[in-house]
Amino acid sequence: MNKKTVTALKILTIIFFILMLLSFSSANDDKDNVFVKKIVSIQEDGCVNITEDFNYTLRLHPNIYRNIQLDDNQEISNISIETPGFYNNYNISNTSNGVQIHVSLYSDAEKTKPVVNQSANVIYHYKKTRAITMYNDVAEFKYDAWDMDSGVVRMTTYIQLPKNHENVEFWTNPSYYVSSNIWITHNTLQTRFRSIEANKTAQQILIIPKSQFNTTINANVVNIDAKNSIEDNQEKYEDNLNYNYMVTYITCVLSIILLLTPLGIYYKYNRQPKTSNNKIIQKIPSNDSPLFINNIIHGNGNYVTIDGFYATVVDLVDKKYIEFIDDTAFKINNKDSHLLDYEIDILNFFINQKNKNQVIIDKIDEVSFNKFISKWMKKSYESIYRNKMDFFQNTSQKLYKIYSIITSIYVIGALYYVLSLQPDVPTINWAFRATIILIPVIILTAVLSYKVPRQWTNYGIKYYNNWKNFELYLTDYNLIKQYPPDMNQINKYIIYSIALGDIRTFNRNMELYFKYNTMENIEYGKYIKLYSILSSKFKNI
């Protein structure tokens, strides 16, 4: 995995935590600037008188709509509107599930100046009948404290009973919207609500002794005992609420773990080995082909470079399969069965470029060479792949593939399950954000399962470190001066320094060495010149 990939994973992690933090603050982002106080007065005859004081911030227009939902058989009457400090027009219309009140505010008595960019209070008064359900054992009152498509910043309700609150039970669903519940008088329950998001509901439920009512004419009458059933239903509701919290918390934790898992795979399996610099290796560590060394050390096992081609050609010269006539031409000697496929391919290419039994360097067709070298580098990489089984293992590739499959299944299942949870809980948003951010991670890891470098084996790391330490020796004049190379093997030093991409540095060090040791090596100079000829001819490759 390269630095860009690691950076991408880190960015995704940061985005995840930003989204999680936004889940705490977003509650207020989509709310109207609304503050509400409601007084709900339950009468002995079963009617309910309701006063709702809404504080609005009017911006672009003076129009306000209040939808009041009614259950089956419920009726609403005695509707009136107050707008302290402002004049108003309002009209009432029936809807499919209740009543809509449309209020327009004006700052003048003639009602020609609409109220905009101001704060205004609108007070609704109305009476509900059949809002109380009379059972054989108790009376039940359900009140939708909030059922609007806008949000509310702060709301307080006051529910007044006909008599006192003795033997009265009450609940608010969902309870997480409630900041406090308290009886402020013998018959008045004050409930303070936290902010409520748009399109969310809050319902208050009370069980009231039937003795507080003197008639059932304005109530729904159901001839069953219901107290135990209501209490059981409420207990089940709370259990479901707690279960949904647990599920969403677990989803968040699992999503965080899955988000961090690719980083864990990277740090466990994909970091390149550290070169050990405390061991001086003067002698060539192994007798492997220069192309193999180019791939393993210079290309980290992932590719071969043009230096691998140069080193292979010089190696063929060293093996006498290519013989230079002068600085401008060379000839091809007989091939034998000991040559590797990619070496034969090089000789065949040069044979096709022959002119009167010799290859003239300046007449090598560059277009043909460009096509050849592209295919050769790919084919030669594939031909040495099987020889690298002891050096690498593809654990990380397998893990990324397994991760992308498992996480895809998890995301689909988690999103479907979490978004279907009822009753709603705030942590559903956290779980959703935590899960949805995994989608780009899945895509990234699916790509990595094919692109990521493989993991080094212990043998591979040792092999790699030996050659890297040898490379340090080739590029450090002080080490060469202190530990001179074996001059009988100097051609191999040149070939491997080409394969490692260090020939220029090594040549500079050796020239200093020959200069200060008053030595001259004709064979050394010939191989360096050969490299210069090749790299000069194909310098644009």
Side-chain angles (χ1 to χ4, degrees), residues 313-540:
V313 172
V314 176
D315 189 45
L316 289 170
V317 172
D318 189 57
K319 295 175 181 177
K320 310 304 182 184
Y321 292 103
I322 296 177
E323 182 180 344
F324 269 76
I325 301 170
D326 53 35
D327 292 348
T328 63
F330 59 86
K331 64 179 182 177
I332 307 298
N333 294 326
N334 292 332
K335 298 175 286 184
D336 62 36
S337 59
H338 294 94
L339 288 174
L340 299 171
D341 288 344
Y342 61 83
E343 293 174 320
I344 295 174
D345 289 340
I346 292 176
L347 295 180
N348 286 337
F349 171 76
F350 286 140
I351 288 172
N352 292 332
Q353 299 290 318
K354 281 198 312 182
N355 183 9
K356 296 181 180 180
N357 295 322
Q358 64 180 9
V359 179
I360 300 173
I361 295 175
D362 287 340
K363 291 187 178 181
I364 294 176
D365 182 59
E366 292 191 11
V367 175
S368 299
F369 181 77
N370 287 338
K371 293 180 180 178
F372 163 75
I373 197 65
S374 177
K375 294 179 180 178
W376 181 87
M377 292 174 75
K378 181 179 179 181
K379 182 179 178 181
S380 62
Y381 170 77
E382 293 173 349
S383 69
I384 62 175
Y385 178 83
R386 61 181 177 274
N387 298 324
K388 297 186 292 185
M389 295 299 100
D390 293 335
F391 296 84
F392 300 100
Q393 57 186 4
N394 59 352
T395 303
S396 61
Q397 293 176 328
K398 292 179 180 177
L399 289 176
Y400 284 128
K401 185 174 183 179
I402 293 171
Y403 170 87
S404 61
I405 294 173
I406 292 177
T407 307
S408 297
I409 296 171
Y410 165 80
V411 167
I412 294 172
L415 288 177
Y416 176 81
Y417 190 69
V418 166
L419 294 178
S420 65
L421 289 176
Q422 291 295 332
D424 195 7
V425 291
T427 47
I428 285 179
N429 289 334
W430 306 356
F432 175 79
R433 291 180 174 93
T435 305
I436 204 71
I437 194 63
L438 289 172
I439 294 177
V441 179
I442 292 170
I443 297 172
L444 179 61
T445 52
V447 173
L448 290 177
S449 66
Y450 295 97
K451 299 292 185 180
V452 74
R454 290 149 295 164
Q455 178 195 7
W456 290 89
T457 63
N458 291 333
Y459 173 79
I461 291 174
K462 183 179 178 181
Y463 185 94
Y464 178 90
N465 283 336
N466 284 341
W467 273 96
K468 291 302 286 185
N469 283 323
F470 178 68
E471 184 179 21
L472 288 174
Y473 167 79
L474 295 175
T475 56
D476 190 325
Y477 171 72
N478 290 327
L479 291 177
I480 290 176
K481 180 180 178 182
Q482 186 176 358
Y483 307 100
D486 182 357
M487 299 309 295
N488 294 323
Q489 292 285 311
I490 194 63
N491 295 345
K492 291 295 184 182
Y493 281 75
I494 294 172
I495 292 170
Y496 286 120
S497 66
I498 295 173
L500 292 168
D502 298 315
I503 182 60
R504 289 179 176 83
T505 304
F506 175 67
N507 181 44
R508 185 167 58 249
N509 291 337
M510 289 306 299
E511 286 178 348
L512 286 173
Y513 177 78
F514 290 139
K515 177 181 178 181
Y516 289 114
N517 289 275
T518 63
M519 296 175 62
E520 183 178 0
N521 189 296
I522 297 175
E523 196 74 9
Y524 173 86
K526 184 180 75 173
Y527 278 59
I528 292 296
K529 190 171 185 179
L530 172 58
Y531 168 77
S532 298
I533 292 171
L534 290 172
S535 59
S536 176
K537 172 62 180 177
F538 306 118
K539 62 183 178 181
N540 295 323

Side-chain angles (χ1 to χ4, degrees), residues 25-74:
S25 60
S26 63
N28 289 331
D29 293 342
D30 56 4
K31 287 182 172 55
D32 295 334
N33 247 340
V34 177
F35 301 88
V36 178
K37 181 176 74 172
K38 297 186 176 185
I39 300 173
V40 181
S41 181
I42 302 172
Q43 306 299 306
E44 289 183 316
D45 63 0
C47 293
V48 181
N49 295 326
I50 300 173
T51 297
E52 300 175 333
D53 187 349
F54 283 74
N55 177 267
Y56 297 101
T57 297
L58 301 173
R59 301 192 185 280
L60 300 179
H61 57 79
N63 300 313
I64 298 168
Y65 296 88
R66 170 72 175 105
N67 291 309
I68 301 173
Q69 296 186 17
L70 300 174
D71 294 335
D72 293 341
N73 301 321
Q74 288 186 352

Side-chain angles (χ1 to χ4, degrees), residues 1-7 9-10 260-272 396 399-400 448 452-453 455:
M1 189 186 301
N2 57 33
K3 291 183 178 179
K4 291 183 179 180
T5 303
V6 178
T7 301
L9 285 174
K10 290 180 178 179
L260 298 176
T261 297
L263 287 175
I265 295 173
Y266 165 74
Y267 282 108
K268 176 69 175 176
Y269 296 108
N270 288 119
R271 287 184 296 175
Q272 297 299 337
S396 61
L399 289 176
Y400 284 128
L448 290 177
V452 74
Q455 178 195 7

